Amino acid sequence: MSRVSMFSSPLLLGFDQFERTFDRLAKNAEGYPPYNIERIGENGLRITLAVAGFTSGELAIELVENQLTVRGKQVEDGDRVYLHRGIAARQFQRAFMLADGIEVMGARLDNGLLSIDLVRPVLEPRIRTIRIDSGNAADSADHMIDITARRSR
């Protein structure tokens, strides 16, 4: 059974990467740890994860391309003997896809809450006029091949 892509419209060109990103994030949709995302001021964002029981040394934050990944791994204390264990020492990985231009400003662990501050830069609208050349279609195809060859060098 094939599924219909939300980016299958012929009016949406070059958005296939978004679809792959959505698929990857859907596979990473575990509910632990819980988190909030809030707006801070005009251009700021804050991701807050509930990571009670983790120290800063047991947490790692990594930004690769546009994917922000938070990992937590607690070390088992073999000296403890539990009569009841309701707080599991479990590892986690939570990923967030950031839009182009969003910058990570810093992170803070306070009272079991890991806060990651982000900022969205103010983008100026880009307006560009495209020149229309006249000529036959074969010349245009040769021109596009020449442009592509120059970019790949």
Side-chain angles (χ1 to χ4, degrees):
M1 177 176 173
S2 65
R3 65 183 178 98
V4 177
S5 167
M6 67 168 124
F7 295 107
S8 63
S9 169
L11 303 175
L12 298 173
L13 302 175
F15 287 92
D16 52 329
Q17 179 64 32
F18 285 121
E19 184 173 14
R20 287 191 296 273
T21 299
F22 288 141
D23 288 343
R24 189 171 67 235
L25 288 174
K27 291 176 185 172
N28 187 24
E30 182 187 332
Y32 181 78
Y35 65 93
N36 292 334
I37 299 176
E38 60 185 300
R39 182 178 319 210
I40 306 296
E42 184 75 21
N43 296 314
L45 297 169
R46 179 173 292 146
I47 301 170
T48 304
L49 293 98
V51 293
F54 285 86
T55 65
S56 59
E58 296 169 330
L59 297 168
I61 303 171
E62 183 177 56
L63 181 62
V64 177
E65 298 293 324
N66 289 5
Q67 182 169 317
L68 177 71
T69 304
V70 181
R71 290 183 184 87
K73 184 173 184 177
Q74 291 179 318
V75 179
E76 280 291 322
D77 185 1
D79 294 337
R80 290 187 174 180
V81 177
Y82 293 97
L83 300 178
H84 170 77
R85 186 156 188 187
I87 302 171
R90 75 190 229 195
Q91 62 185 6
F92 70 87
Q93 177 175 312
R94 171 74 71 181
F96 301 90
M97 290 305 297
L98 306 181
D100 288 337
I102 290 187
E103 295 182 33
V104 178
M105 301 307 292
R108 182 179 65 258
L109 180 62
D110 185 34
N111 293 323
L113 297 175
L114 175 65
S115 299
I116 304 168
D117 291 333
L118 312 168
V119 66
R120 284 187 291 198
V122 178
L123 300 176
E124 298 296 324
R126 284 181 42 189
I127 300 173
R128 192 174 131 207
T129 302
I130 309 301
R131 185 185 69 183
I132 301 172
D133 292 331
S134 59
N136 66 31
D139 290 341
S140 178
D142 291 340
H143 178 69
M144 287 303 293
I145 291 170
D146 186 45
I147 289 174
T148 305
R150 277 189 270 162
R151 284 187 182 162
S152 65
R153 290 183 197 155

